[in-house]
Amino acid sequence: MSQPTAAGDSAPATMRAVVVTHPGGLDALEIKDVPVPARKPGWVRIKVKAFGLNESEVTTRKGESDAEVTYPRIPGIEGVGVVDEADEDSGLRPGQQVATMMGNMGRSYDGAYAQYVTVPAGQVIPFETDLPWDVVGALPEMFQTAYGSLTHGLDLKSGQTLLIRGGTSTVGLSAATIAKEIGATVISTTRNSDRGDELRAMGVDHPVVDDGRIADKVRDLVPQGVDAALELVGCTALPDTFGCVRVHGTVCFTGALAGGWSIPDFTPFMIPSGVKLTSYAGEAADLPPQVFQQQLQAIADGRLKTPVAKTYRGLEQVRDAQADVESGTTPGKHVVLLDD
C-alpha cells in the first residue's frame, strides 16, 4: 500500500531552516521560517536530530557546484533523525531512527540543514542505537564514502596494506578505523608532522608526512609497495600515489581535497604497468543497513573510533560550523545538533 503512515504528533506547518538564496560568503546562510516539506509518494519525511557538515556544502554556498544546484536551496547532504511520515509499504515506521545521505539532497532538492527533510525511501537507512545524536550525525556520509571506497573500490582484505592519502580528512580518519576493523595494516598521510599522534589514535600503524612526494617513504615501510591506496588528495598527488602501489595493487580515486579533478594531457601510460586504477562515487545503497548497524555497535563497544571534531547546538551555529570546515584547521567531523 502507498498510504502514508505518520507520527501521532503531526508535523507543524512551518519549520526553521538554513537557506542559501544566492551564492556568497557565510552571510549567505540565512535562518528562515519555511513551510515543512510535503512528502511525495515513495519518499520519507524525517524529523532531523543532527547533521554533519561537508566540504561540498561550502561549495554549494559559494556557488561553485555544478549546474544541478539551484537557488534558493536548503543545503545538507546527510542527516539523522526519526521517521515522521512514510508509505505503509516502505517498511519504515514513525519514530524509527534513520539516516540519509547523498542522492542529490541539498543540491537538486532541499537537504538536512532544517528541522524536517524529505528524501526518497531508497536512500533511508534504519538503525537502532543508544549513542548520542551528535555521534550518529557524524557518520552517514563519512562511513558511506569510506566503506564504499574500501569495499567496492579496493576490495580490501585482512592482512593487506592500505595507504590513505589525505588521512586527516574525515573520510580518511573513518577509513582508517574501518580498515583496522577489517584487519589491514594502515599507512596514512598528513601534511603536518604534529598530527601523527592523531592518526595513531585512530588506529593508523604508520603516519607519513606528505610533502608532495611520499613514494620513497612508503617503499621504505613496504618495499614491494602497498596492496591498496585510497586517494583523497586529488589528481595532483595521483602520479606519486601510483609509485606507492605494488604490481597488481589498486588505487581508488575518491576525493580531491587539494582540488584537481582532472589531469591535463592524461595518457593511460601514466599508470605504472600492472597497477590498477578505479574510482568511487557511491550512494546510500552502498552502505547496507546491517553494516551501518554493525559500525554503530562497534562504536558503542569501543572497537571503532568516531572522529567528531566539534558539536554545534542549533541552526544558529551553522555559520560557525561552516567557517571551521572551510578553514580546515580542526581535524574530524563537525556536527550540528538540533533541539527538539
Side-chain angles (χ1 to χ4, degrees):
M1 295 179 65
S2 61
Q3 295 295 317
T5 60
D9 51 341
S10 58
T14 62
M15 67 176 184
R16 299 175 74 238
V18 175
V19 183
V20 178
T21 57
H22 59 275
L26 291 169
D27 58 355
L29 298 167
E30 302 180 55
I31 299 177
K32 295 188 174 186
D33 290 325
V34 299
V36 168
R39 187 190 64 85
K40 297 181 289 188
W43 286 48
V44 179
R45 186 164 64 203
I46 299 169
K47 184 176 183 180
V48 179
K49 295 292 188 179
F51 57 85
L53 284 87
N54 300 275
E55 292 280 356
S56 65
E57 293 147 10
V58 175
T59 301
T60 294
R61 186 252 297 163
K62 290 180 173 181
E64 297 173 355
S65 297
D66 51 38
E68 70 184 357
V69 179
T70 57
Y71 303 90
R73 178 63 61 227
I74 299 173
I77 66 169
E78 64 175 321
V80 296
V82 296
V83 173
D84 179 69
E85 185 179 282
D87 289 343
E88 278 189 352
D89 58 1
S90 67
L92 299 169
R93 64 182 187 278
Q96 187 174 16
Q97 294 176 311
V98 290
T100 186
M101 74 209 79
M102 313 294 281
N104 282 333
M105 68 181 291
R107 296 172 60 80
S108 62
Y109 61 89
D110 286 337
Y113 282 26
Q115 291 176 303
Y116 291 86
V117 65
T118 58
V119 298
Q123 68 180 63
V124 176
I125 300 175
F127 63 87
E128 294 182 9
T129 187
D130 292 326
L131 291 169
W133 281 113
D134 57 335
V135 172
V136 183
L139 305 178
E141 190 273 343
M142 183 172 62
F143 265 157
Q144 179 266 323
T145 303
Y147 180 81
S149 297
L150 297 182
T151 56
H152 289 256
L154 292 169
D155 193 27
L156 188 68
K157 304 296 185 185
S158 177
Q160 291 187 323
T161 52
L162 169 70
L163 167 66
I164 303 172
R165 191 138 195 196
T168 54
S169 66
T170 56
V171 172
L173 294 169
S174 181
T177 64
I178 296 172
K180 291 304 296 181
E181 186 78 359
I182 290 172
T185 297
V186 178
I187 303 168
S188 192
T189 70
T190 174
R191 291 176 296 172
N192 187 338
S193 60
D194 294 334
R195 298 178 70 174
D197 288 342
E198 296 171 14
L199 291 175
R200 290 188 183 90
M202 300 305 296
V204 171
D205 298 285
H206 304 288
V208 170
V209 176
D210 192 344
D211 58 4
R213 299 181 66 86
I214 64 168
D216 288 344
K217 299 177 184 179
V218 172
R219 293 280 181 166
D220 285 342
L221 295 168
V222 188
Q224 75 276 18
V226 299
D227 300 295
L230 174 56
E231 180 60 72
L232 300 172
V233 172
C235 285
T236 54
L238 190 57
D240 185 59
T241 298
F242 284 145
C244 302
V245 181
R246 67 169 174 83
V247 174
H248 300 154
T250 304
V251 178
C252 179
F253 188 99
T254 295
L257 295 168
W261 290 94
S262 61
I263 299 176
D265 302 320
F266 173 79
T267 169
F269 291 106
M270 296 175 66
I271 306 172
S273 179
V275 173
K276 293 172 282 187
L277 173 64
T278 187
S279 65
Y280 179 76
E283 299 293 345
D286 293 341
L287 181 60
Q290 64 269 26
V291 172
F292 190 60
Q293 186 67 57
Q294 290 167 0
Q295 291 169 333
L296 291 172
Q297 189 59 52
I299 293 170
D301 294 343
R303 292 182 287 111
L304 206 60
K305 298 182 185 295
T306 308
V308 178
K310 188 174 180 180
T311 298
Y312 307 79
R313 296 190 174 274
L315 296 175
E316 294 80 5
Q317 294 195 332
V318 165
R319 288 184 182 179
D320 293 338
Q322 271 213 7
D324 288 341
V325 170
E326 192 171 4
S327 72
T329 56
T330 310
K333 193 78 174 184
H334 299 74
V335 183
V336 173
L337 183 65
L338 299 190
D339 297 327
D340 290 334

